[in-house]
Each structure stands twice: as structure tokens, then as C-alpha cells.
Amino acid sequence: FMQDRGVLVACLQETWRVTPTGIEIEDLGDGYLVLHHGETTKTCKRGRNGVSIVLSPEGRAAWEAGGSKYIHSGNGRMLTVTLAVEGGATLKVGCGYAPGSGKSSAERQAFYDDVAVQTRGGGHRDTSVTFLDANASAGVGVHACD
């Protein structure tokens, strides 16, 4: 899929993968790499939360050139990698899965605080892009379930 379409990075949400150390790095071969972030213990039968970032060979090379940096939340909902780009700049790519509208305002706010921390740029040449399953309910206030 990624090779056929020239995709550098793919972000996946709701992977339901348990990652006991918070992060697992999987080499798929042919230069492709997956960083998985999920809950550290299985909290229900099928699993919940979880995000992954898939890097093409070019994306992997940029990640390694940038120091193989990643940051993740403590709950399996947010993962960000840093890629080196031309001219010494960086590209931060974030992948997030927001709590649903049935969760408390505090839990939803904590998620968006994680997003803000993980996607801060370091300088004027740095770019940040975040892909979210935001579980948005258009026209519904943020405190509708509190």
C-alpha cells in the first residue's frame, strides 16, 4: 500500500495493541518500520486505545537521521516521531486517538494537553503535523457529558 502510493508515513488509530514498555518497534522488512504505542496492560477482552506510526524506508531513514526520537503518552493514545528534513529542520508527525465524548472533561483535556506537549516545535524551521481520531461530535459542547 505505502510503496504503491509513495506514502512516507502512515498513522493508525485504535490498534488495541498492548505494549508492556509503552512502545514497541517492529521491523517489517524491506526498510519498513512500525512504532506501536498502547496500554501497558490489557484492560478488556479485545483491547482498547493504541496508535501506531508506520515509516516507509525513506521515512525510517529520516527518523534515524533525526536521532530515532519518539514521545508517547502514558495511556496508549498519543505517539509522535521526529523526522530530519533538508536544511537541518525537523518534521514532527503525531498520531492520536482521543477519548470519546462519553469520557470526562478531565480525561479529554489531559489528552489534548498531551497533544500540545508532543507537537511543540523547536524553532522556526520545524513543522508539526498531527493525525487524530478526534471522536468529535459536531455541535456538541465539550462538557455535554459532565
Side-chain angles (χ1 to χ4, degrees):
F1 170 82
M2 290 176 68
Q3 184 177 12
D4 296 344
R5 291 164 177 79
V7 175
L8 184 72
V9 178
C11 295
L12 309 173
Q13 294 92 7
E14 294 189 67
T15 60
W16 302 345
R17 186 165 180 146
V18 175
T19 55
T21 62
I23 191 86
E24 286 182 7
I25 299 174
E26 180 181 9
D27 189 332
L28 299 178
D30 294 330
Y32 289 85
L33 192 73
V34 184
L35 290 88
H36 300 282
H37 172 52
E39 294 185 319
T40 56
T41 59
K42 195 167 189 171
T43 58
C44 67
K45 187 175 180 179
R46 69 150 202 221
R48 62 182 202 160
N49 299 346
V51 292
S52 296
I53 296 177
V54 184
L55 301 173
S56 68
E58 296 82 8
R60 179 181 185 167
W63 179 64
E64 290 170 348
S68 302
K69 296 178 186 172
Y70 61 83
I71 40 179
H72 60 80
S73 63
N75 59 12
R77 290 192 177 274
M78 186 68 198
L79 173 64
T80 301
V81 296
T82 301
L83 310 179
V85 295
E86 290 182 27
T90 62
L91 171 63
K92 285 186 177 182
V93 179
C95 179
Y97 171 48
S101 59
K103 300 293 184 179
S104 71
S105 290
E107 187 174 346
R108 292 190 315 273
Q109 187 58 54
F111 168 77
Y112 287 106
D113 290 346
D114 277 343
V115 172
V117 167
Q118 289 191 32
T119 58
R120 278 193 192 114
H124 69 280
R125 296 184 320 180
D126 300 320
T127 303
S128 180
V129 178
T130 303
F131 299 91
L132 295 177
D133 177 344
N135 283 314
S137 297
V140 177
V142 70
H143 303 288
C145 293
D146 290 341

